[in-house]
Amino acid sequence: MPRTRGRAPDGKWRADALSREIIVGAAIALLDELGERGLTFRLLAKQLNTGPGALYWHVTNKDELVALAADEVLGHAFTAPPPPEESAGAGLRALAIAVFDALDQHPWAASHVNAPPTLANALRLLDRIGTLVARTGLPAERHFAVSTAISYYITGVSAQIIAPRATAVAATDRDAFLAQTAEHWEKLDPADYPFLTRTTTDLRDHDDRDQFTTGLDLLLDGLNTTANP
Amino acid sequence: MPRTRGRAPDGKWRADALSREIIVGAAIALLDELGERGLTFRLLAKQLNTGPGALYWHVTNKDELVALAADEVLGHAFTAPPPPEESAGAGLRALAIAVFDALDQHPWAASHVNAPPTLANALRLLDRIGTLVARTGLPAERHFAVSTAISYYITGVSAQIIAPRATAVAATDRDAFLAQTAEHWEKLDPADYPFLTRTTTDLRDHDDRDQFTTGLDLLLDGLNTTANP
DNA sequence: ACCTGAACACCGTTCAAGT
DNA sequence: ACCTGAACACCGTTCAAGT
């Protein structure tokens, strides 16, 4: 797993040399355009003017490639510098929303951010959460459990909300899908599903980002009352 | 998509007739044993003494088959009848834990419980959550957002916690994986990762179920203070 | 209506061989 | 050290043909 660009035998840089970063970048482009099933080593190799075998010198296998691509995308959440002095709660909220928005741009990525973190940006995310949690009044022995809980919420709930868009093709399909699901709910027996049958308009009209922040704010409220009882 | 067993031309039941339920049941067994990649239409057909083509009469494709299998597994959370009269919070907590435990037994399933729900048991889960949420003092227009938030937490965070076990083979691997990840964290620069580098023992010793309930309790605390300010 | 199984159009991955 | 591309061992899915 080299971290530098290749060099031709004569010692000069090859303009078209492969590298992990170049491969991951091209993979992200294909994933955005064609989804996870559309990403193929043959196609990726063609885009990079090589054979499929060449990629395996830089990347262990497809699972690793997709994981690297997802971590790269997660890193987009950190482009803005962390705002200086705000409350821990506000910092956690801003961080969570930045992650949601980053993953929202690349729907295939959300379900590939794994826990516990081992890749650079996932590590960074948990560390930032932990540092913010440590700033609350919470006893130290609870920092790990609470920080990972928040981290799990961010990536897990983002994946739940965003993943359907990775299957449905375009953004326009979302409305059609929701309308169809709402119709399905309307046909259910109200005796069996009293809640769903009276909630179909909310389903049609809901906003994904609001869904994410609703649960997030409940979680942070709970953190707040636990830390400052 | 037939819901009944097949019948031979002479009108008698065939003992070996296929059905959606039989196929899903056999698929669950293979998924448990071999994981998602191990489930193959050829292998599944062989187990059921048919050819792969026969399965396509009962099931649209592999995605649908795995989704049906996951929903079936989710249904295990409802085997115990809902305890009669408890507080909404206690009911939600018990329900959430029942879902976690059900998915925990079939690690491949967690990441395939999709939102918004369209299959029977996922619908049932959201309806039960909604009914419990309606029992709190929360204004009606917030019921949908809060219920789905809780539902997303349950399935999304369960998937995050449980999914790694679907890749790692046995339960013994978990300790090895955590130890290896902890070693990785220890080698990080404390200047870059102040939180992670002092939290490695918590990582080694944590319990997955506690992780799940920690965030869940924060969320329910938040719900409680929001509903009864 | 339901099942059969060969065939199609792919995959991920490996590896001897090149430079 | 890095790249090439043919070859291996599979897949999911379709479909004409059977009962």
Side-chain angles (χ1 to χ4, degrees):
Chain A
M1 305 169 200
R3 316 198 65 250
T4 60
R5 309 287 262 267
R7 236 178 244 265
D10 59 1
K12 286 189 297 200
W13 295 109
R14 288 181 49 180
D16 62 338
L18 285 176
S19 74
R20 228 196 214 293
E21 296 84 52
I22 287 174
I23 292 171
V24 169
I28 290 172
L30 284 178
L31 287 162
D32 285 345
E33 195 187 351
L34 303 170
E36 193 171 343
R37 283 190 168 91
L39 174 66
T40 283
F41 272 72
R42 277 167 240 262
L43 178 57
L44 181 56
K46 188 179 289 184
Q47 303 264 332
L48 296 168
N49 297 309
T50 22
L55 306 174
Y56 283 88
W57 199 89
H58 300 272
V59 132
T60 306
N61 54 36
K62 188 175 177 180
D63 285 339
E64 185 187 65
L65 177 56
V66 175
L68 289 169
D71 198 64
E72 181 70 25
V73 159
L74 179 63
H76 297 352
F78 303 119
T79 48
E85 290 305 320
E86 49 187 359
S87 75
L92 287 167
R93 194 173 195 278
L95 182 58
I97 289 174
V99 171
F100 178 85
D101 287 340
L103 296 175
D104 196 40
Q105 312 257 32
H106 307 272
W108 51 268
S111 57
H112 290 280
V113 177
N114 287 327
T118 55
L119 299 181
N121 289 312
L123 289 168
R124 186 137 62 130
L125 174 61
L126 182 55
D127 197 83
R128 287 219 192 166
I129 292 170
T131 302
L132 285 162
V133 166
R135 250 202 251 158
T136 66
L138 220 61
E141 70 269 19
R142 299 218 57 212
H143 288 181
F144 176 76
V146 168
S147 300
T148 50
I150 293 170
S151 158
Y152 283 146
Y153 178 88
I154 295 173
T155 55
V157 174
S158 291
Q160 287 276 310
I161 295 177
I162 294 168
R165 271 210 283 300
T167 322
V169 192
T172 329
D173 293 351
R174 192 187 108 97
D175 287 346
F177 173 72
L178 288 179
Q180 188 187 325
T181 308
E183 270 181 61
H184 180 193
W185 288 12
E186 277 160 15
K187 281 187 226 129
L188 296 171
D189 185 347
D192 288 336
Y193 300 95
F195 176 72
L196 295 185
T197 46
R198 63 174 137 92
T199 317
T200 58
T201 57
D202 294 281
L203 172 64
R204 281 180 211 264
D205 300 336
H206 84 273
D207 178 81
D208 285 342
R209 213 158 171 275
D210 286 348
Q211 293 280 68
F212 180 75
T213 54
T214 294
L216 178 65
D217 287 334
L218 288 178
L219 198 63
L220 295 177
D221 279 358
L223 175 61
N224 201 35
T225 61
T226 310
N228 314 305
Chain B
M1 303 167 199
R3 316 198 65 251
T4 58
R5 308 287 262 266
R7 234 178 247 265
D10 58 1
K12 286 189 297 200
W13 294 109
R14 288 181 49 180
D16 62 340
L18 285 176
S19 73
R20 229 195 212 297
E21 297 82 52
I22 287 173
I23 291 170
V24 169
I28 290 173
L30 283 178
L31 286 162
D32 285 345
E33 196 187 350
L34 302 170
E36 193 170 343
R37 283 192 168 89
L39 173 66
T40 283
F41 273 71
R42 276 166 240 262
L43 179 57
L44 181 56
K46 188 179 285 184
Q47 303 264 331
L48 296 168
N49 296 310
T50 23
L55 306 174
Y56 281 89
W57 200 88
H58 299 272
V59 133
T60 305
N61 53 36
K62 188 176 176 179
D63 285 339
E64 186 187 66
L65 176 57
V66 175
L68 289 169
D71 197 65
E72 181 71 26
V73 159
L74 179 63
H76 297 351
F78 304 118
T79 46
E85 291 304 319
E86 49 187 359
S87 76
L92 287 167
R93 194 173 197 277
L95 183 57
I97 289 173
V99 170
F100 178 86
D101 287 340
L103 296 175
D104 196 41
Q105 310 259 28
H106 306 273
W108 51 269
S111 57
H112 290 280
V113 177
N114 286 327
T118 54
L119 299 180
N121 288 313
L123 289 169
R124 184 135 66 128
L125 174 60
L126 182 55
D127 198 84
R128 287 218 192 167
I129 291 170
T131 302
L132 286 162
V133 166
R135 250 201 251 160
T136 65
L138 219 60
E141 69 270 17
R142 300 217 58 213
H143 288 181
F144 177 77
V146 168
S147 299
T148 50
I150 293 171
S151 158
Y152 283 146
Y153 178 89
I154 295 174
T155 55
V157 174
S158 291
Q160 287 277 310
I161 295 177
I162 294 168
R165 271 211 283 300
T167 321
V169 193
T172 329
D173 293 350
R174 192 187 108 97
D175 286 346
F177 173 71
L178 288 179
Q180 187 187 326
T181 307
E183 270 182 60
H184 181 193
W185 289 12
E186 278 159 15
K187 280 186 226 131
L188 296 170
D189 184 347
D192 288 334
Y193 299 96
F195 177 72
L196 295 184
T197 45
R198 63 176 138 89
T199 318
T200 57
T201 56
D202 294 280
L203 173 64
R204 279 180 212 265
D205 300 337
H206 83 274
D207 178 81
D208 285 341
R209 213 158 171 276
D210 286 348
Q211 292 279 67
F212 181 74
T213 54
T214 295
L216 178 65
D217 287 335
L218 287 179
L219 198 63
L220 295 177
D221 280 357
L223 176 60
N224 202 35
T225 61
T226 309
N228 315 304

